[in-house]
Amino acid sequence: MATVQALYIATEKRGPVSRHPAVKVEAGRGIVGDRRYKRDTPPAEQITLIESERVAAFNREYGLDVEAGALRRNLVTEGIDLNALEGREFQVGGVRLRGIELCEPCAVVGQLLARPGLSPTEVIRGLMDRGGLRAEILDSGVLREGDVIRADGDNSRSDSA
């Protein structure tokens, strides 16, 4: 069963992210309290998701212990292939979302995760195609840690990416 593992918001651009057990979301606007929350927020900027399994795979490959929140995505999932949801509707708890596009890593994430022996460019390359999904919020409601994620068809994961 696919579930929400963690929820994060950042109140300002490039500001720290904070974890919350639940967040309120509004259709067409985003996550209440997040830096991108406003009237008529573009669909691709309303909410971002990332798979915990992809973060774990990145950590194994590079010998790191990066927390999923460090990747600056709003929703950390477990048990679902987010890449397969690009262009599709799915449900998180009681809230419908639509996958807009893959959320490829940016220079900010590259710089945040760079270490001696691992350049920002290598970080970005290492996270390509596993940086998550940008989604549009179709229903207002509350998202909670532990919410079940449902999609039409079989998008659940049994591997560890």
Side-chain angles (χ1 to χ4, degrees):
M1 173 174 31
T3 59
V4 174
Q5 297 299 300
L7 297 159
Y8 294 93
I9 65 170
T11 58
E12 59 189 52
K13 185 176 183 176
R14 296 188 184 198
V17 295
S18 58
R19 186 171 176 173
H20 299 267
V23 294
K24 183 178 178 185
V25 297
E26 291 186 15
R29 297 185 81 171
I31 303 170
V32 176
D34 190 68
R35 70 194 183 283
R36 297 189 183 275
Y37 174 79
K38 63 182 183 265
R39 181 183 303 266
D40 300 323
T41 302
E45 295 180 11
Q46 292 175 16
I47 192 167
T48 57
L49 301 87
I50 191 162
E51 299 167 42
S52 60
E53 297 91 344
R54 304 247 185 188
V55 177
F58 174 80
N59 281 332
R60 280 191 308 274
E61 289 173 25
Y62 292 93
L64 299 174
D65 189 23
V66 172
E67 292 289 326
L71 289 151
R72 307 187 59 78
R73 305 299 184 252
N74 303 119
L75 203 141
V76 180
T77 68
E78 181 175 53
I80 193 155
D81 180 2
L82 294 175
N83 289 9
L85 297 177
E86 186 177 18
R88 299 179 55 202
E89 284 188 24
F90 57 102
Q91 190 157 329
V92 178
V95 176
R96 283 181 316 124
L97 303 177
R98 178 183 301 119
I100 300 298
E101 63 189 9
L102 298 185
C103 190
E104 298 297 5
C106 63
V108 172
V109 169
Q111 292 170 349
L112 286 173
L113 301 183
R115 307 281 192 275
L118 183 64
S119 72
T121 301
E122 290 169 316
V123 169
I124 292 169
R125 270 193 227 120
L127 290 169
M128 290 301 290
D129 294 326
R130 55 183 174 185
L133 180 71
R134 295 179 180 278
E136 177 181 14
I137 300 168
L138 301 176
D139 296 324
S140 296
V142 177
L143 300 176
R144 293 176 177 82
E145 290 183 358
D147 275 350
V148 173
I149 304 167
R150 293 181 180 86
D152 292 336
D154 182 19
N155 294 312
S156 46
R157 297 181 70 88
S158 58
D159 63 1
S160 57

